[in-house]
Amino acid sequence: MLQLRIATVLAFLAATAGCGGGGGSSVSTVPVPQWSQFRNNSARTGGFGGGILINEGALRFAAVDDTEPPSAIVASPAIGNDGTIYIGSTGGTLRAFDPETLEPVWTVRSCSACCPASAGSGCDESLGPLTSSPTLYRDVDGLVNIVIGDDGGRVYRFSVLESAAEPEPTCDTCFAPDLTDDFPATAVAGFSSSPTVTFNTITGSLAAILIGAEIRTTPAAAPTAGKLYAINEDGTTRWQYPARGEGAVGPISSSPALSLGRAVAVLDGDGVMHLLTRNGELRRRISIDGLYDASVGFLQPSIVSSASLVVGTAAGDIYAFNHDGTFRWAAELDGRRFLNSLSIGTKLDPTPTSVATVTGTATPTPDPNEATPTPTPTAITDFSTVIGVSADGVVVFLDSKTGELIEDTTDRSWFNDDGVVLSSPSLSFDGLLTFGTDAGALFNVDTGSAEPPRFCLANTELICLTDEDCGDDDVCAASFWP
């Protein structure tokens, strides 16, 4: 099931890489997507990062592992500046794919930085299961850096020259946390959180890699604790939260988000949102009821950072906080479960009609032991709409300033799939929302009509048009897939 899911995603990316969306008599083009981070950017908005363009319905499969059957893939792919697709597998393979052919560009299964000469012959360089989504950034030397964690307790940084005739990645960093001051000797860490990277504003060089850890008392045990690590470029620890010797918080598999002033926001498996300074000092803790769904396993939603910090819960509630952690609004959506991250953008319909007012949801409770933080200035950019996709495929649109429900796709006649939506939705340049299900189907929804987009077939060429734009001899049809 997971293999089908990622094959569908890769096929979709390949099919859309060279096409354009929009009106006109021919296929238009948009810039190649630059997904520099998991879910587009370090704020984890999931919006306006890449173009969801034309899909001709030709699904192609590309295995990350060479085993039969290939190992499962639960992470999200990242897309480089030139369209290269980067993805890891639970079999410990990190591979780059050509977006046009889906042929492998390079493959790595080990990191020599993990085993220096002093480590001895028993050191294992192999990558562990990769459940973390890779994060990309381009450094001052023009190299593409791929940062990813594994379930074996390591965080890696690979660098590669994309423009080389035969790109060969080098493993420059291998980080493994020291747990001895806070946990028993049998404890192990795992990284399924996707990294966030920060940069020195003066030099432009990497300042820190931020990533959450899940910690088990023994390798076979379930995660019971967590830490957030800030890692230097050379793989040493910059800081950790909680600080060394000060215990732990709940397991962290969500991706940390950057708030205003480069503050850090992260969720843990105990349903607590932690707001930290850029140096890892606690500013505020907020308990959020219903955040975690045990049936989902390690997956946790990530905070979406825009004018507000926004998060959905498995209980069907959506909360918005100001960047200082103070409560902004709550929306209670009966019967809905949000098992993924939300997205923030602009719905194409400029004059939506309000259909409901959301009330009754309990306000999350700040930790009484924490001092009230200094108010943070309002963000410069405030997108108008919070968009969520529930576990059963209902798309909801909320006013980002008030939490008022604008519209939802209660009519699910187009959602012809029995799967559960765990995939986080992302927005395209032209207003299409895309998300996947655990049954391997990928959906593309027009945020203007809240329905799958319709296409026009003209002279055997697929053109992304509205019904009104189709000529007399053209055939209009619903989306070809899933």
Side-chain angles (χ1 to χ4, degrees), residues 433-476:
L433 190 78
T434 184
F435 59 91
T437 72
D438 68 347
L442 194 67
F443 285 84
N444 210 16
V445 177
D446 188 328
T447 61
S449 64
E451 294 180 353
R454 296 176 65 85
F455 298 103
C456 182
L457 291 172
N459 301 321
T460 70
E461 186 178 32
L462 190 63
I463 304 175
C464 188
L465 300 171
T466 64
D467 290 341
E468 292 77 11
D469 291 329
C470 286
D472 294 337
D473 297 330
D474 297 336
V475 179
C476 292

Short mmCIF file of all heavy atoms in Angstrom, two decimals, residues 433-476:
data_model
loop_
_atom_site.label_atom_id
_atom_site.label_comp_id
_atom_site.label_asym_id
_atom_site.label_seq_id
_atom_site.Cartn_x
_atom_site.Cartn_y
_atom_site.Cartn_z
N LEU A 433 -5.17 22.31 -4.95
CA LEU A 433 -4.77 21.67 -3.71
C LEU A 433 -4.52 20.20 -4.01
O LEU A 433 -5.35 19.53 -4.64
CB LEU A 433 -5.89 21.81 -2.69
CG LEU A 433 -5.59 21.39 -1.25
CD1 LEU A 433 -4.80 22.49 -0.57
CD2 LEU A 433 -6.89 21.14 -0.49
N THR A 434 -3.39 19.67 -3.56
CA THR A 434 -3.09 18.27 -3.82
C THR A 434 -2.81 17.55 -2.51
O THR A 434 -2.19 18.10 -1.60
CB THR A 434 -1.89 18.11 -4.78
OG1 THR A 434 -1.67 16.74 -5.07
CG2 THR A 434 -0.63 18.70 -4.19
N PHE A 435 -3.31 16.32 -2.40
CA PHE A 435 -3.08 15.49 -1.22
C PHE A 435 -3.25 14.03 -1.62
O PHE A 435 -3.84 13.71 -2.65
CB PHE A 435 -4.03 15.86 -0.07
CG PHE A 435 -5.50 15.71 -0.41
CD1 PHE A 435 -6.18 14.52 -0.17
CD2 PHE A 435 -6.20 16.76 -0.97
CE1 PHE A 435 -7.53 14.39 -0.48
CE2 PHE A 435 -7.55 16.65 -1.29
CZ PHE A 435 -8.21 15.45 -1.05
N GLY A 436 -2.73 13.13 -0.79
CA GLY A 436 -2.81 11.71 -1.08
C GLY A 436 -3.53 10.96 0.01
O GLY A 436 -3.86 11.51 1.07
N THR A 437 -3.81 9.67 -0.24
CA THR A 437 -4.42 8.81 0.76
C THR A 437 -3.53 7.61 1.01
O THR A 437 -2.64 7.30 0.21
CB THR A 437 -5.80 8.30 0.30
OG1 THR A 437 -5.63 7.33 -0.73
CG2 THR A 437 -6.67 9.44 -0.21
N ASP A 438 -3.79 6.91 2.11
CA ASP A 438 -2.95 5.76 2.42
C ASP A 438 -3.26 4.56 1.53
O ASP A 438 -2.59 3.54 1.61
CB ASP A 438 -3.06 5.38 3.90
CG ASP A 438 -4.43 4.83 4.27
OD1 ASP A 438 -5.38 4.97 3.47
OD2 ASP A 438 -4.55 4.26 5.37
N ALA A 439 -4.25 4.70 0.66
CA ALA A 439 -4.56 3.65 -0.31
C ALA A 439 -3.85 3.89 -1.64
O ALA A 439 -4.08 3.17 -2.61
CB ALA A 439 -6.07 3.55 -0.54
N GLY A 440 -3.02 4.94 -1.72
CA GLY A 440 -2.21 5.15 -2.90
C GLY A 440 -2.78 6.10 -3.92
O GLY A 440 -2.24 6.22 -5.01
N ALA A 441 -3.88 6.79 -3.62
CA ALA A 441 -4.48 7.72 -4.57
C ALA A 441 -4.04 9.15 -4.27
O ALA A 441 -3.94 9.55 -3.11
CB ALA A 441 -6.00 7.63 -4.53
N LEU A 442 -3.79 9.90 -5.33
CA LEU A 442 -3.41 11.30 -5.20
C LEU A 442 -4.55 12.15 -5.76
O LEU A 442 -5.05 11.88 -6.86
CB LEU A 442 -2.12 11.58 -5.96
CG LEU A 442 -1.43 12.90 -5.66
CD1 LEU A 442 -0.89 12.91 -4.25
CD2 LEU A 442 -0.30 13.14 -6.65
N PHE A 443 -4.99 13.16 -5.02
CA PHE A 443 -6.11 14.00 -5.44
C PHE A 443 -5.66 15.42 -5.71
O PHE A 443 -4.78 15.95 -5.03
CB PHE A 443 -7.20 14.01 -4.36
CG PHE A 443 -8.01 12.76 -4.30
CD1 PHE A 443 -7.56 11.67 -3.58
CD2 PHE A 443 -9.20 12.65 -4.98
CE1 PHE A 443 -8.29 10.50 -3.52
CE2 PHE A 443 -9.94 11.48 -4.94
CZ PHE A 443 -9.49 10.40 -4.20
N ASN A 444 -6.28 16.03 -6.69
CA ASN A 444 -6.03 17.40 -7.09
C ASN A 444 -7.36 18.13 -7.04
O ASN A 444 -8.29 17.76 -7.76
CB ASN A 444 -5.45 17.42 -8.50
CG ASN A 444 -4.51 18.58 -8.73
OD1 ASN A 444 -4.06 19.20 -7.80
ND2 ASN A 444 -4.22 18.86 -9.98
N VAL A 445 -7.50 19.14 -6.20
CA VAL A 445 -8.78 19.81 -6.00
C VAL A 445 -8.64 21.28 -6.34
O VAL A 445 -7.71 21.95 -5.89
CB VAL A 445 -9.26 19.66 -4.54
CG1 VAL A 445 -10.55 20.44 -4.32
CG2 VAL A 445 -9.47 18.19 -4.20
N ASP A 446 -9.55 21.80 -7.15
CA ASP A 446 -9.58 23.21 -7.50
C ASP A 446 -10.13 23.99 -6.30
O ASP A 446 -11.28 23.79 -5.91
CB ASP A 446 -10.46 23.42 -8.73
CG ASP A 446 -10.40 24.84 -9.27
OD1 ASP A 446 -10.21 25.76 -8.46
OD2 ASP A 446 -10.53 25.01 -10.48
N THR A 447 -9.32 24.88 -5.71
CA THR A 447 -9.78 25.58 -4.52
C THR A 447 -10.85 26.63 -4.83
O THR A 447 -11.47 27.17 -3.93
CB THR A 447 -8.61 26.24 -3.79
OG1 THR A 447 -7.99 27.20 -4.66
CG2 THR A 447 -7.59 25.22 -3.35
N GLY A 448 -11.05 26.94 -6.09
CA GLY A 448 -12.11 27.88 -6.45
C GLY A 448 -13.47 27.23 -6.45
O GLY A 448 -14.46 27.82 -6.04
N SER A 449 -13.54 25.96 -6.89
CA SER A 449 -14.81 25.26 -6.97
C SER A 449 -14.94 24.16 -5.93
O SER A 449 -16.00 23.58 -5.77
CB SER A 449 -14.98 24.64 -8.36
OG SER A 449 -13.98 23.64 -8.58
N ALA A 450 -13.85 23.87 -5.22
CA ALA A 450 -13.80 22.77 -4.25
C ALA A 450 -14.12 21.44 -4.91
O ALA A 450 -14.69 20.56 -4.31
CB ALA A 450 -14.74 23.04 -3.08
N GLU A 451 -13.78 21.30 -6.17
CA GLU A 451 -13.98 20.06 -6.90
C GLU A 451 -12.70 19.75 -7.68
O GLU A 451 -11.87 20.63 -7.90
CB GLU A 451 -15.14 20.20 -7.89
CG GLU A 451 -16.49 20.40 -7.23
CD GLU A 451 -17.60 20.53 -8.26
OE1 GLU A 451 -17.27 20.59 -9.47
OE2 GLU A 451 -18.76 20.57 -7.86
N PRO A 452 -12.56 18.48 -8.11
CA PRO A 452 -11.42 18.16 -8.96
C PRO A 452 -11.46 19.02 -10.22
O PRO A 452 -12.53 19.29 -10.76
CB PRO A 452 -11.61 16.68 -9.30
CG PRO A 452 -12.48 16.16 -8.21
CD PRO A 452 -13.38 17.30 -7.83
N PRO A 453 -10.32 19.51 -10.70
CA PRO A 453 -10.32 20.38 -11.88
C PRO A 453 -10.76 19.63 -13.12
O PRO A 453 -10.56 18.43 -13.25
CB PRO A 453 -8.84 20.79 -11.99
CG PRO A 453 -8.09 19.70 -11.32
CD PRO A 453 -8.97 19.24 -10.20
N ARG A 454 -11.38 20.36 -14.02
CA ARG A 454 -11.81 19.78 -15.30
C ARG A 454 -10.81 20.19 -16.37
O ARG A 454 -10.23 21.26 -16.32
CB ARG A 454 -13.22 20.25 -15.66
CG ARG A 454 -14.28 19.78 -14.67
CD ARG A 454 -15.64 20.35 -15.00
NE ARG A 454 -16.15 19.85 -16.26
CZ ARG A 454 -16.81 18.70 -16.40
NH1 ARG A 454 -17.00 17.93 -15.35
NH2 ARG A 454 -17.27 18.32 -17.56
N PHE A 455 -10.63 19.31 -17.34
CA PHE A 455 -9.66 19.56 -18.39
C PHE A 455 -10.35 19.53 -19.75
O PHE A 455 -11.45 19.02 -19.90
CB PHE A 455 -8.55 18.51 -18.35
CG PHE A 455 -7.77 18.51 -17.08
CD1 PHE A 455 -7.99 17.55 -16.11
CD2 PHE A 455 -6.83 19.50 -16.84
CE1 PHE A 455 -7.27 17.57 -14.93
CE2 PHE A 455 -6.11 19.52 -15.65
CZ PHE A 455 -6.34 18.55 -14.70
N CYS A 456 -9.68 20.11 -20.72
CA CYS A 456 -10.22 20.17 -22.06
C CYS A 456 -9.26 19.45 -23.00
O CYS A 456 -8.06 19.73 -23.01
CB CYS A 456 -10.38 21.63 -22.48
SG CYS A 456 -11.08 21.86 -24.10
N LEU A 457 -9.78 18.52 -23.80
CA LEU A 457 -8.97 17.79 -24.78
C LEU A 457 -9.13 18.46 -26.14
O LEU A 457 -10.21 18.48 -26.71
CB LEU A 457 -9.42 16.33 -24.86
CG LEU A 457 -9.10 15.46 -23.64
CD1 LEU A 457 -9.77 14.11 -23.77
CD2 LEU A 457 -7.60 15.29 -23.48
N ALA A 458 -8.05 19.05 -26.63
CA ALA A 458 -8.09 19.75 -27.90
C ALA A 458 -7.04 19.19 -28.83
O ALA A 458 -5.85 19.30 -28.56
CB ALA A 458 -7.88 21.25 -27.71
N ASN A 459 -7.50 18.56 -29.93
CA ASN A 459 -6.57 18.01 -30.92
C ASN A 459 -5.56 17.06 -30.27
O ASN A 459 -4.36 17.13 -30.51
CB ASN A 459 -5.82 19.13 -31.65
CG ASN A 459 -6.78 20.06 -32.37
OD1 ASN A 459 -7.76 19.61 -32.95
ND2 ASN A 459 -6.51 21.35 -32.32
N THR A 460 -6.07 16.19 -29.40
CA THR A 460 -5.31 15.18 -28.67
C THR A 460 -4.31 15.79 -27.68
O THR A 460 -3.52 15.08 -27.09
CB THR A 460 -4.53 14.24 -29.62
OG1 THR A 460 -3.45 14.95 -30.24
CG2 THR A 460 -5.44 13.66 -30.68
N GLU A 461 -4.34 17.08 -27.52
CA GLU A 461 -3.44 17.73 -26.57
C GLU A 461 -4.24 18.19 -25.36
O GLU A 461 -5.29 18.81 -25.49
CB GLU A 461 -2.76 18.94 -27.22
CG GLU A 461 -1.71 19.59 -26.32
CD GLU A 461 -1.02 20.75 -27.02
OE1 GLU A 461 -1.69 21.41 -27.83
OE2 GLU A 461 0.17 20.99 -26.74
N LEU A 462 -3.75 17.86 -24.18
CA LEU A 462 -4.45 18.22 -22.96
C LEU A 462 -4.13 19.65 -22.57
O LEU A 462 -2.97 20.02 -22.41
CB LEU A 462 -4.03 17.27 -21.82
CG LEU A 462 -4.84 17.36 -20.53
CD1 LEU A 462 -6.28 16.97 -20.79
CD2 LEU A 462 -4.24 16.44 -19.49
N ILE A 463 -5.16 20.47 -22.45
CA ILE A 463 -4.99 21.87 -22.12
C ILE A 463 -5.77 22.17 -20.84
O ILE A 463 -6.92 21.77 -20.72
CB ILE A 463 -5.49 22.78 -23.26
CG1 ILE A 463 -4.79 22.42 -24.56
CG2 ILE A 463 -5.26 24.24 -22.92
CD1 ILE A 463 -5.31 23.17 -25.75
N CYS A 464 -5.14 22.84 -19.90
CA CYS A 464 -5.80 23.15 -18.64
C CYS A 464 -6.69 24.38 -18.84
O CYS A 464 -6.20 25.50 -18.85
CB CYS A 464 -4.76 23.41 -17.56
SG CYS A 464 -5.45 23.59 -15.90
N LEU A 465 -7.99 24.17 -19.03
CA LEU A 465 -8.94 25.23 -19.31
C LEU A 465 -10.19 25.06 -18.48
O LEU A 465 -10.48 23.98 -17.97
CB LEU A 465 -9.35 25.20 -20.79
CG LEU A 465 -8.24 25.37 -21.84
CD1 LEU A 465 -8.81 25.09 -23.21
CD2 LEU A 465 -7.68 26.77 -21.78
N THR A 466 -10.97 26.12 -18.34
CA THR A 466 -12.30 26.01 -17.78
C THR A 466 -13.26 25.59 -18.88
O THR A 466 -12.94 25.66 -20.07
CB THR A 466 -12.77 27.35 -17.19
OG1 THR A 466 -12.87 28.31 -18.26
CG2 THR A 466 -11.78 27.86 -16.15
N ASP A 467 -14.46 25.15 -18.49
CA ASP A 467 -15.44 24.73 -19.48
C ASP A 467 -15.75 25.84 -20.48
O ASP A 467 -15.93 25.60 -21.67
CB ASP A 467 -16.74 24.30 -18.79
CG ASP A 467 -16.57 22.99 -18.02
OD1 ASP A 467 -15.60 22.27 -18.31
OD2 ASP A 467 -17.38 22.72 -17.13
N GLU A 468 -15.78 27.07 -19.99
CA GLU A 468 -16.14 28.19 -20.85
C GLU A 468 -15.09 28.43 -21.93
O GLU A 468 -15.38 28.96 -23.01
CB GLU A 468 -16.32 29.46 -20.03
CG GLU A 468 -17.54 29.45 -19.10
CD GLU A 468 -17.32 28.62 -17.86
OE1 GLU A 468 -16.17 28.21 -17.61
OE2 GLU A 468 -18.31 28.35 -17.15
N ASP A 469 -13.85 28.05 -21.66
CA ASP A 469 -12.77 28.30 -22.61
C ASP A 469 -12.67 27.23 -23.69
O ASP A 469 -11.94 27.41 -24.67
CB ASP A 469 -11.43 28.37 -21.87
CG ASP A 469 -11.33 29.61 -21.00
OD1 ASP A 469 -11.94 30.63 -21.38
OD2 ASP A 469 -10.66 29.55 -19.97
N CYS A 470 -13.36 26.12 -23.52
CA CYS A 470 -13.25 25.04 -24.48
C CYS A 470 -13.97 25.41 -25.78
O CYS A 470 -15.08 25.94 -25.77
CB CYS A 470 -13.84 23.74 -23.93
SG CYS A 470 -12.81 22.98 -22.67
N GLY A 471 -13.32 25.09 -26.91
CA GLY A 471 -13.94 25.35 -28.20
C GLY A 471 -15.06 24.37 -28.52
O GLY A 471 -15.25 23.37 -27.82
N ASP A 472 -15.77 24.64 -29.63
CA ASP A 472 -16.92 23.80 -29.99
C ASP A 472 -16.51 22.36 -30.28
O ASP A 472 -17.29 21.43 -30.07
CB ASP A 472 -17.63 24.39 -31.22
CG ASP A 472 -18.25 25.74 -30.91
OD1 ASP A 472 -18.52 25.99 -29.72
OD2 ASP A 472 -18.44 26.53 -31.86
N ASP A 473 -15.32 22.16 -30.81
CA ASP A 473 -14.89 20.81 -31.18
C ASP A 473 -14.14 20.10 -30.08
O ASP A 473 -13.64 18.98 -30.27
CB ASP A 473 -14.00 20.87 -32.43
CG ASP A 473 -14.75 21.41 -33.63
OD1 ASP A 473 -15.98 21.21 -33.68
OD2 ASP A 473 -14.12 22.06 -34.48
N ASP A 474 -14.02 20.75 -28.92
CA ASP A 474 -13.26 20.15 -27.83
C ASP A 474 -14.16 19.34 -26.92
O ASP A 474 -15.38 19.55 -26.86
CB ASP A 474 -12.56 21.24 -27.01
CG ASP A 474 -11.55 21.99 -27.84
OD1 ASP A 474 -11.08 21.42 -28.84
OD2 ASP A 474 -11.24 23.15 -27.50
N VAL A 475 -13.58 18.40 -26.23
CA VAL A 475 -14.32 17.54 -25.31
C VAL A 475 -13.89 17.85 -23.90
O VAL A 475 -12.72 17.76 -23.55
CB VAL A 475 -14.05 16.05 -25.62
CG1 VAL A 475 -14.80 15.17 -24.64
CG2 VAL A 475 -14.43 15.73 -27.05
N CYS A 476 -14.85 18.24 -23.07
CA CYS A 476 -14.54 18.52 -21.67
C CYS A 476 -14.79 17.28 -20.83
O CYS A 476 -15.77 16.57 -21.02
CB CYS A 476 -15.41 19.66 -21.14
SG CYS A 476 -15.01 21.25 -21.90
#
